[in-house]
Amino acid sequence: MVLPPVSPGMSADIGGPDGHSYGAVLLRSEASHPIAASGADAAPDVAGILHGLRFSGWVAPPDRGWTVILGDPGAGVVARGRRGIVEVAGAIAAAVAGPVVAVQVRRDRQLGIVAWLDGVEIARYCSDPSVEPGADREVLSDPVGEDDAEALATALGRSAAAEDLRALLAEELDPDSVFESERLRSVLRVMGMPEWLVAAGSLPHDIPTGPRAAELTRLRAGETGPAALAAHGLIKKGRRRHAPPPIIDDPPRQNDGGMDPWLL
C-alpha cells in the first residue's frame, strides 16, 4: 500500500516542513466519561490516575465512541516519574476494561503505537527506532512491530482491516515527501478513530478539523483551573530536561548476530 504524498495544502495541518511532535491516549468512551473542569462528571479511575501522575495535557469530548487524552505538544515527559504518553496510557490501561491505545509522533519522522486490551499489552510498534533520543548509530531504522497489526485490529473490532493495517505499518516512507502524521492519519481512518489527532501539535489553539480549544479540559500537573498555572511552569521546565523511555526497549541493531546486515 502506497501512502499519498503530503500536498502543500496539508502541511499546516500536520506540522509543516519541520514536523510536529505530539502524543495521545485513546480509550472507549464508555470506559471513561469526559473529564469536566469541575471533576464531577469524571470517571474516578481515569481522572484519579491523571491527577496522581500529575499529567499535563488536555482531555477532549468523546468522538466516534473514543475519549482522547492529549499530552502537552511534544513527544517528551508529560507526567511524573519521567513518563511519556505511552507510560500514561499503560497506567490507564491497567485500570479500565476494553482497548486503550497510545499514539506518538516524533518530529513527524517516527510513529509509535502501543495498545492494551483489558490491561494486557497486545501491540507495540515503532516506525523507526533510530530516531529515539539517545539511539546510537547501530540502531536500525526498520519498523518494529508491524506483525502486531492483526491483534490490534481485532481488539478494535476491525479484524477485516488487519491486512490493510499491517501494510500501512510496514510501508517504507520517503521522509522528503511523506510525514509520519500521514501514516497515522491512514491508520486512524482504517481503525475508525478520530483523524484530527494528526493536528494535535496546534494546541493550545483550536485543532484543525477537530475540537475547539474551549471544548477541551486543560490539565496542568493533574490539576485544572488558574491555580495550577504557577506550579506547572516549574514542573514543565524540569520535564523538558528528560526524555521518556523509548518505545522499543531493545531495538534491532546492525551488529545483532555478529554480522553487518549490509553484507547479507
Side-chain angles (χ1 to χ4, degrees), residues 22-26 68-71 85-86 89 101-105 196-197 200:
Y22 54 91
V25 182
L26 300 98
V68 181
I69 302 170
L70 302 154
I85 200 69
V86 172
V101 181
V103 297
Q104 177 182 282
V105 171
W196 52 259
L197 284 183

Side-chain angles (χ1 to χ4, degrees), residues 150-222:
E150 182 176 359
L152 175 58
T154 300
L156 301 183
R158 298 269 178 161
S159 56
E163 285 303 316
D164 288 341
L165 178 60
R166 189 186 188 285
L168 284 169
L169 299 182
E171 181 76 25
E172 183 177 351
L173 304 185
D174 179 358
D176 294 327
S177 61
V178 183
F179 288 138
E180 286 295 344
S181 287
E182 269 304 295
R183 189 201 305 266
L184 176 57
R185 175 179 283 167
S186 298
V187 168
L188 294 170
R189 183 182 302 120
V190 168
M191 294 294 97
M193 292 174 157
E195 297 171 33
W196 52 259
L197 284 183
V198 300
S202 63
L203 289 166
H205 305 293
D206 292 345
I207 301 175
T209 74
R212 298 189 302 274
E215 298 175 308
L216 308 177
T217 297
R218 180 65 160 118
L219 294 176
R220 295 180 176 91

Side-chain angles (χ1 to χ4, degrees), residues 73-96:
V77 173
V78 296
R80 73 189 319 166
R82 301 186 183 181
R83 291 177 173 89
I85 200 69
V86 172
E87 291 71 42
V88 171
I92 294 173
V96 302

Side-chain angles (χ1 to χ4, degrees), residues 3 21 25 32 38 71 83 107 115 117 127 140 143 178 187 192 216 222 240 246 252 256:
L3 297 179
S21 296
V25 182
S32 171
S38 65
R83 291 177 173 89
R107 296 186 4 254
L117 180 62
S127 66
L140 298 177
V178 183
V187 168
L216 308 177
R240 285 177 174 173
D256 286 350

